[in-house]
C-alpha cells in the first residue's frame, strides 16, 4: 500500500535526504537537542574535527577488490541489513497521538487522510 511503512522505507532508500526513515511504531523516542544534552551530557552536534575525522576514516576504507567475493555485493548487504520487513499502515489519528506535541508537516491536515 502507498500509505504503508514499507513504501515509506523504500522512498527513504531512494531519496534519503528528502524522505525520513519510517521507524516501526514505538521503537524510537524523539528528543530535542536540550533533552538529549540533559540526559547524556553530550553535545547533540558534531564538531568540525569530529566530522573531518569521520570523513577521513570513510575515505580510508578500501572497497573490495573485483573478484574477491563475486557472490556478494557489499552494497546489497548494507541495504538488506537496514531493511525492516514490518508493515504498518499510516493511521493519522494514532500517529498524531504518538508524536506527543510534535506538529504534522504544514502540507498535511486531517482532511487529506
Amino acid at each position: 500500500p502507498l500509505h504503508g511503512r514499507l513504501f515509506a522505507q523504500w522512498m527513504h532508500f531512494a531519496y534519503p535526504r528528502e524522505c525520513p526513515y519510517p521507524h516501526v511504531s514505538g521503537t524510537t523516542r524523539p528528543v530535542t537537542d536540550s533533552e538529549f544534552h540533559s540526559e547524556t551530557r553530550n553535545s547533540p552536534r558534531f564538531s568540525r574535527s569530529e566530522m573531518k575525522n569521520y570523513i577521513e576514516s570513510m575515505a580510508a576504507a578500501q572497497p573490495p577488490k573485483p573478484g574477491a567475493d563475486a557472490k556478494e555485493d557489499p552494497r546489497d548487504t548494507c541495504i538488506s541489513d537496514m531493511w525492516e520487513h514490518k508493515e504498518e499502515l499510516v493511521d493519522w489519528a494514532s500517529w498524531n497521538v504518538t508524536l506527543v506535541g510534535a506538529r504534522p508537516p504544514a502540507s498535511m491536515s486531517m482532511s487529506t487522510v
Side-chain angles (χ1 to χ4, degrees):
L2 289 181
H3 298 289
R5 201 194 69 74
L6 290 177
F7 180 72
Q9 185 171 284
W10 178 85
M11 289 293 292
H12 168 73
F13 287 118
Y15 306 99
R17 292 183 178 158
E18 293 85 0
C19 303
Y21 184 82
H23 295 280
V24 176
S25 296
T27 60
T28 62
R29 184 178 64 90
V31 295
T32 64
D33 287 354
S34 59
E35 289 171 330
F36 178 82
H37 184 267
S38 67
E39 290 175 14
T40 66
R41 296 293 178 221
N42 293 323
S43 172
R45 306 197 190 289
F46 287 109
S47 67
R48 287 192 182 272
S49 63
E50 288 172 318
M51 288 188 274
K52 184 179 179 191
N53 290 340
Y54 178 79
I55 291 168
E56 289 171 354
S57 70
M58 290 294 107
Q62 295 293 323
K65 298 192 185 316
D69 187 3
K71 293 181 274 183
E72 188 174 316
D73 184 344
R75 292 172 296 183
D76 293 338
T77 303
C78 177
I79 290 175
S80 67
D81 287 346
M82 292 188 296
W83 192 264
E84 182 80 33
H85 293 279
K86 293 182 180 166
E87 177 65 297
E88 294 180 325
L89 296 180
V90 175
D91 174 13
W92 174 260
S94 297
W95 180 71
N96 196 28
V97 168
T98 62
L99 290 179
V100 186
R103 293 179 15 207
S107 62
M108 295 183 73
S109 67
M110 292 298 280
S111 62
T112 61
V113 176

